[in-house]
């Protein structure tokens, strides 16, 4: 099914929106580039132009030259922004320390986040990066673009920013790197009024959700990650733009356990597609793999000779639950013992497919080390159906938020709150009974809490009654 | 640190327009910040938020969490944004003379 946006979308036509002419966009020659000297000497940066990997220094120099050759009134920031960035970076390489000042609070009216303010601590030396604020721009799901959109945003950013970007931030946003405070509202105005494009999240709020490319280009996607990510991003715009939480909160959506957007490690609420019926087997294709007609793993190991494909060795013996075997030349799977790890499917994509009865597992609490140590998400909802408009998912999200917003301490991630209060309390909050699937192993210590009502007679005891039987 | 003059006052501010010291706050500061934070008219409700933020800061040495600010003032977050378009941090705390919010903003 083709993707349907929630609201009518105007097609962005670059020809109508463009700021620069073709001549301006191609305003230098390779010859000029070779002879181009940047404003500051940057020997350590220059070193990073060698080697086969695309060099960010080389790219920055192209941009620096390009900006030098644009007319003064064709860019609103200094033409030397890129060169001063390199200059300050060089100083940092030499000193081994950062030259950005602490923090920075800037933004646009109506929102409490979306812009990361930053100021240089070497403003006299590098005036063009005295202000160097970063805008987070909410990316389209799975980062599919057309060139009209990209060219339009590039023109806007060349004109009102540094021309440098990060495609994309780890959370997912398009990152526009470096502009001044005065430019923030005009950029925001143009993005919203002319491009139907909003900012992403920053601060103690819902950050920009992101997803794997899902059904757009992957036969394993058990859920429509893009639709779900888009729907929840729209539905929770308020929570994204106006920080109301004890700390940041992230959603990520993986279509299957392969985890191409790493939701299990990088989101407070991780959605991972799965299935609960049987793996679909095409026995003819299994035979084709065995015969060597189809390369295993889609040819992923073609770079080295690993010998002829051996289904026993490469699939059956590697199944973590040992629930596969060959019988009369047929591949058999005991699906009730399968943990849906994806290994066999990954190895023989043309022979095996996830089941058809699909949904999501929901895991909570992943976070980076600060403060209480790194956490991956903990499986909490083993399986949940998930169809538009995702009412059941939204219900769950809101139960979690209500609790965390009330009980979470200042700057306490959900994962830390769950640790502090315990998983049983969290299960109570979201209204799920405890299940064996929620733990890797039962606890080994005996510090077990009981509720008063679970203990016959409760906790109120009188020592006098005890003394009747046990003398002091 | 830049200084700025406003109605006979001199304020030291940082690049984000936050005042250097809570003790240098006065009502003229509020009138000045109003001009940069998209506020047309200062109402009793603005003052209520400012007073709550200041009282909390004097007592606890930190700005209140958004949730606490909402609870004590009785204003929903949406309404706080109506009062202070830059929000409780950049808007209200700046006006109230509190130190600049920090962390992963
Ligand atoms: C002033 C301080 C900070 C700044 C300017 C900052 C900036 C950023 C930026 C620009 C991104 C990328 C956003 C995106 O991809 O959309 C990011 C991601 C991230 N930040 Fe920060 N950050 C700060 C502090 C912190 C702190 C204190 C932590 C940990 C407690 C943290 C943890 C992370 C993590 C884990 C990610 C990646 C999230 C992901 O993989 O989805 N950051 N940060
Ligand atoms: C001089 C002081 C103490 C001595 C000589 C002592 C001795 C012992 C001994 C011999 C055991 C049995 C160990 C076993 O099962 O192999 C024991 C168990 C235990 N002791 Fe102590 N103990 C002392 C103080 C304390 C204190 C102050 C506490 C707690 C505040 C305590 C808590 C326990 C507990 C919880 C057990 C385990 C009971 C069980 O397994 O059911 N003991 N102690
Ligand atoms: S997570 Fe699964 S469904 Fe999504 S792109 Fe990766 S392999 Fe495909
Ligand atoms: S998905 Fe994993 S657990 Fe299930 S049968 Fe395949 S290899 Fe075994």
């Amino acid at each position: 099914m083709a993707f349907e946006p929630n609201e009518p979308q105007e097609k962005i036509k670059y020809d109508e929106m463009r700021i620069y002419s073709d001549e301006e966009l191609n305003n230098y020659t390779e010859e000029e580039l070779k002879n181009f000297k940047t404003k500051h000497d940057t020997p350590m940066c220059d070193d990073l132009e060698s080697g086969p990997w695309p060099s960010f220094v080389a790219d920055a120099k192209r941009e620096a030259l390009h900006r030098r050759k644009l007319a003064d009134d064709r860019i609103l920031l200094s033409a030397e922004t890129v060169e001063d960035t390199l200059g300050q970076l060089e100083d940092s390489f030499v000193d081994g320390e950062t030259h950005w000042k602490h923090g920075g609070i800037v933004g646009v009216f109506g929102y409490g986040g979306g812009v990361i303010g930053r100021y240089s601590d070497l403003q006299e030396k590098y005036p063009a990066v005295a202000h160097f604020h970063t805008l987070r721009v909410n990316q389209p799901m799975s980062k599919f673009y057309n060139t009209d959109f990209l060219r339009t945003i590039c023109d806007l950013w060349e004109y009102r920013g540094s021309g440098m970007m990060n495609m994309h931030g780890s959370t997912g946003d398009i990152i526009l790197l470096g502009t001044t405070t005065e430019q923030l509202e005009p950029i925001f105005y143009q993005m919203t009024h002319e491009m139907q494009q909003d900012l992403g999240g920053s601060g103690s709020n819902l950050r920009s959700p992101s997803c794997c490319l899902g059904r757009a280009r992957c036969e394993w996607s058990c859920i429509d990650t893009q639709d779900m990510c888009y729907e929840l991003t729209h539905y929770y715009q308020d929570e994204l733009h106006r920080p109301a939480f004890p700390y940041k909160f992230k959603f990520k959506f993986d279509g299957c356990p392969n985890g191409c957007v790493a939701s299990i490690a990088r989101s407070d609420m991780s959605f991972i597609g799965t299935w609960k019926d049987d793996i679909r087997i095409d026995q003819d294709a299994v035979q084709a793999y065995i015969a060597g007609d189809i390369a295993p793993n889609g040819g992923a190991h073609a770079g080295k000779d690993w010998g002829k494909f051996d289904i026993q060795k490469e699939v059956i013996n590697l199944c973590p639950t040992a629930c596969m075997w060959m019988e009369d030349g047929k591949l058999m799977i005991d699906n009730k013992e399968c943990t849906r790890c994806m290994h066999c499917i990954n190895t023989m994509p043309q022979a095996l497919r996830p089941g058809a009865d699909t949904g999501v597992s929901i895991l909570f609490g992943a976070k980076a080390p600060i403060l209480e140590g790194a956490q991956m998400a903990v499986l909490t909802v083993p399986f949940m159906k998930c169809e538009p408009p995702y009412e059941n998912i939204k219900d769950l999200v809101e139960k979690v938020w209500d609790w965390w917003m009330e009980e979470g301490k200042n700057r306490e991630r959900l994962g830390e709150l769950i640790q502090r209060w315990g998983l049983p309390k969290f299960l109570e909050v979201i209204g799920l009974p405890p299940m064996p699937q929620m733990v890797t192993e039962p606890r080994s210590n005996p510090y077990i809490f009981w509720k008063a009502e679970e203990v016959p007679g409760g906790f109120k005891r009188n020592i006098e009654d005890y003394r009747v039987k046990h003398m002091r | 640190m830049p200084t700025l003059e406003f109605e006979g006052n001199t304020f030291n501010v940082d690049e984000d327009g936050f005042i250097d010291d809570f003790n240098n706050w006065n009502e003229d500061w509020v009138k000045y910040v109003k001009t940069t934070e998209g506020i047309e008219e200062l109402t009793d409700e603005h003052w209520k938020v400012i007073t709550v933020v200041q009282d909390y800061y004097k007592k606890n040495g930190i700005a209140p969490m958004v949730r606490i600010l909402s609870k004590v003032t009785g204003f929903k977050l949406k309404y706080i944004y109506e009062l202070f378009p830059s929000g409780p941090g950049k808007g209200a705390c700046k006006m109230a003379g509190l130190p600049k919010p920090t962390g992963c903003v």
Side-chain angles (χ1 to χ4, degrees):
Chain A
M1 196 177 63
F3 173 72
E4 286 294 338
N6 282 0
E7 47 198 80
Q9 300 260 292
E10 269 178 57
K11 254 218 173 98
I12 294 173
K13 296 200 187 88
Y14 178 62
D15 279 340
E16 288 162 20
M17 311 273 288
R18 67 187 300 168
I19 298 174
Y20 299 108
S21 65
D22 283 345
E23 294 70 52
E24 283 173 313
L25 291 179
N26 302 300
N27 64 358
Y28 64 90
T29 62
E30 293 298 311
E31 196 52 38
E32 283 174 292
L33 182 66
K34 229 179 269 162
N35 302 320
F36 175 53
K37 278 262 160 305
T38 50
K39 181 175 161 201
H40 311 282
D41 272 338
T42 56
M44 291 174 91
C45 286
D46 298 348
D47 245 13
L48 301 178
E49 287 184 84
S50 57
W53 294 98
S55 161
F56 73 93
V57 176
D59 287 351
K61 287 186 179 173
R62 279 180 184 271
E63 176 63 9
L65 174 59
H66 173 57
R67 288 174 74 84
R68 280 268 194 107
K69 296 200 68 186
L70 284 171
D72 279 350
D73 61 345
R74 301 293 282 146
I75 44 178
L76 297 179
L77 262 61
S78 161
E80 292 171 354
T81 308
V82 182
E83 288 165 74
D84 276 4
T85 310
L86 283 177
Q88 181 174 316
L89 180 64
E90 182 75 16
D91 274 13
S92 286
F93 282 168
V94 173
D95 303 341
E97 67 181 342
T98 182
H99 283 296
W100 300 111
K101 289 190 190 178
H102 177 98
I105 294 288
V106 292
V108 296
F109 287 150
Y111 289 3
V115 188
I116 319 291
R118 199 99 317 173
Y119 304 95
S120 167
D121 74 3
L122 300 173
Q123 305 200 349
E124 312 247 300
K125 201 166 169 195
Y126 304 113
V129 296
H131 288 214
F132 199 77
H133 309 323
T134 291
L135 286 111
R136 293 185 185 173
V137 178
N138 203 159
Q139 82 287 1
M141 301 304 99
S142 315
K143 312 182 179 87
F144 286 96
Y145 293 104
N146 63 22
T147 55
D148 279 300
F149 175 87
L150 289 174
R151 293 169 139 225
T152 305
I153 199 157
C154 285
D155 272 23
L156 169 63
W157 188 237
E158 192 80 79
Y159 188 59
R160 297 190 177 276
S162 69
M164 289 183 286
M165 296 181 180
N166 172 3
M167 292 298 267
H168 301 71
S170 336
T171 304
D173 303 283
I174 302 169
I175 307 280
L176 304 182
L177 280 173
T179 192
T180 57
T181 308
E182 304 78 67
Q183 292 304 329
L184 297 175
E185 290 286 355
I187 291 167
F188 185 54
Y189 182 92
Q190 276 182 314
M191 286 199 318
T192 48
H193 287 72
E194 290 163 19
M195 302 182 67
Q196 277 180 295
Q197 174 61 58
D198 208 338
L199 291 179
S202 72
S204 291
N205 60 1
L206 174 66
R207 302 297 182 84
S208 306
S210 57
C211 58
C212 76
L213 48 70
R215 291 196 177 149
R217 275 180 168 269
C218 180
E219 66 269 43
W220 296 328
S221 197
C222 298
I223 52 174
D224 192 339
T225 54
Q226 295 182 300
D227 185 59
M228 209 171 159
C229 187
Y230 175 83
E231 170 62 23
L232 294 199
T233 304
H234 270 244
Y235 193 76
Y236 293 119
Q237 283 289 293
D238 265 344
E239 286 74 8
L240 195 155
H241 292 307
R242 284 173 278 279
F245 293 164
Y247 205 3
K248 59 175 109 164
F249 194 95
K250 295 176 185 170
F251 289 143
K252 281 189 170 54
F253 305 86
D254 279 309
C256 81
N258 281 334
C260 292
V261 73
S263 71
I264 194 171
R266 291 165 47 219
S267 59
D268 300 80
M269 191 168 180
S270 152
F271 297 87
I272 303 180
T274 187
W275 66 96
K276 62 177 177 160
D277 52 350
D278 292 350
I279 292 179
R280 289 172 280 176
I281 309 178
D282 174 346
Q283 296 293 353
D284 293 339
V286 172
Q287 289 310 321
Y289 276 102
I290 294 172
D293 297 340
I294 312 178
N297 292 88
H301 306 296
K304 187 173 166 189
D305 183 7
W306 294 92
K308 187 171 180 298
F309 176 63
D310 179 346
I311 192 168
Q312 188 67 36
K313 181 163 152 243
E314 294 177 44
V315 179
I316 297 177
N317 291 355
L318 292 181
C319 170
T321 62
C323 68
M324 311 179 84
W325 69 99
M326 293 299 289
E327 199 172 296
D328 303 330
K330 288 200 160 145
L331 180 66
M332 309 297 282
I333 300 177
D334 181 4
N335 281 280
K336 65 181 192 308
E337 296 299 329
C338 163
T339 56
R340 296 168 303 280
C341 77
M342 295 296 295
H343 174 71
C344 57
I345 299 173
N346 288 341
T347 310
M348 303 195 293
Q350 296 192 47
L352 302 176
R353 298 173 67 192
D357 188 2
T358 58
V360 270
S361 299
I362 304 176
L363 299 83
F364 288 96
K367 55 176 281 293
I370 293 170
L371 287 167
E372 302 287 332
Q375 281 189 40
M376 300 255 269
V378 176
L379 176 72
T380 310
V381 181
F383 187 90
M384 200 156 165
K385 272 291 183 197
C386 106
E387 308 291 344
Y390 311 107
E391 295 299 346
N392 55 345
I393 308 270
K394 291 172 187 165
D395 250 24
L396 177 62
V397 166
E398 279 152 40
K399 279 184 198 153
V400 171
W401 282 352
D402 281 351
W403 177 62
W404 177 54
M405 284 171 72
E406 198 50 42
E407 300 298 344
K409 291 196 207 166
N410 199 10
R411 302 255 164 91
E412 182 176 49
R413 293 287 283 267
L414 176 68
E416 286 161 346
L417 177 62
I418 296 175
Q419 260 181 358
R420 185 158 63 84
W421 280 74
L423 189 59
K425 175 69 198 177
F426 184 57
L427 295 181
E428 230 172 75
V429 165
I430 61 177
L432 272 193
M435 286 173 266
Q437 289 88 334
M438 294 170 181
V439 294
T440 14
E441 58 179 283
R443 68 193 309 148
S444 50
N445 73 54
Y447 303 118
I448 297 169
F449 286 88
W450 301 89
K451 289 186 182 151
E453 62 270 22
E454 292 166 334
V455 181
F459 290 159
K460 282 231 157 55
R461 303 294 164 101
N462 189 341
I463 184 74
E464 302 307 331
D465 299 342
Y466 176 80
R467 285 286 163 238
V468 173
K469 273 198 183 169
H470 307 276
M471 287 251 283
R472 241 194 123 137
Chain B
M1 182 158 272
T3 58
L4 56 90
E5 306 285 330
F6 184 75
E7 299 193 347
N9 298 278
T10 308
F11 296 110
N12 296 319
V13 297
D14 68 10
E15 283 139 322
D16 291 315
F18 280 75
I19 200 169
D20 63 340
D21 187 343
F22 183 59
N23 295 314
N24 298 339
W25 179 91
N26 64 29
E27 301 204 352
D28 286 338
W29 171 250
V30 176
K31 287 185 207 149
Y32 168 71
V33 175
K34 170 176 167 286
T35 63
T36 64
E37 287 301 321
I39 296 167
E40 294 198 348
E41 188 94 35
L42 279 166
T43 63
D44 289 351
E45 290 175 328
H46 287 104
W47 281 105
K48 184 170 177 186
V49 174
I50 292 171
T51 315
V52 167
V53 167
Q54 290 186 328
D55 288 350
Y56 192 94
Y57 181 69
K58 283 185 214 152
K59 214 165 130 204
N60 302 295
I62 53 168
M65 288 168 75
V66 171
R67 197 171 76 232
I68 295 169
L69 184 61
S70 282
K71 256 189 198 156
V72 180
T73 56
F75 300 150
K76 292 224 161 84
L77 183 59
K78 267 218 160 119
Y79 193 65
I80 296 179
Y81 272 89
E82 277 174 36
L83 296 172
F84 300 92
S86 311
K90 179 166 173 281
C93 285
K94 183 192 278 184
M95 242 181 177
L98 264 64
K100 178 156 78 184
T102 56
C104 187
V105 291

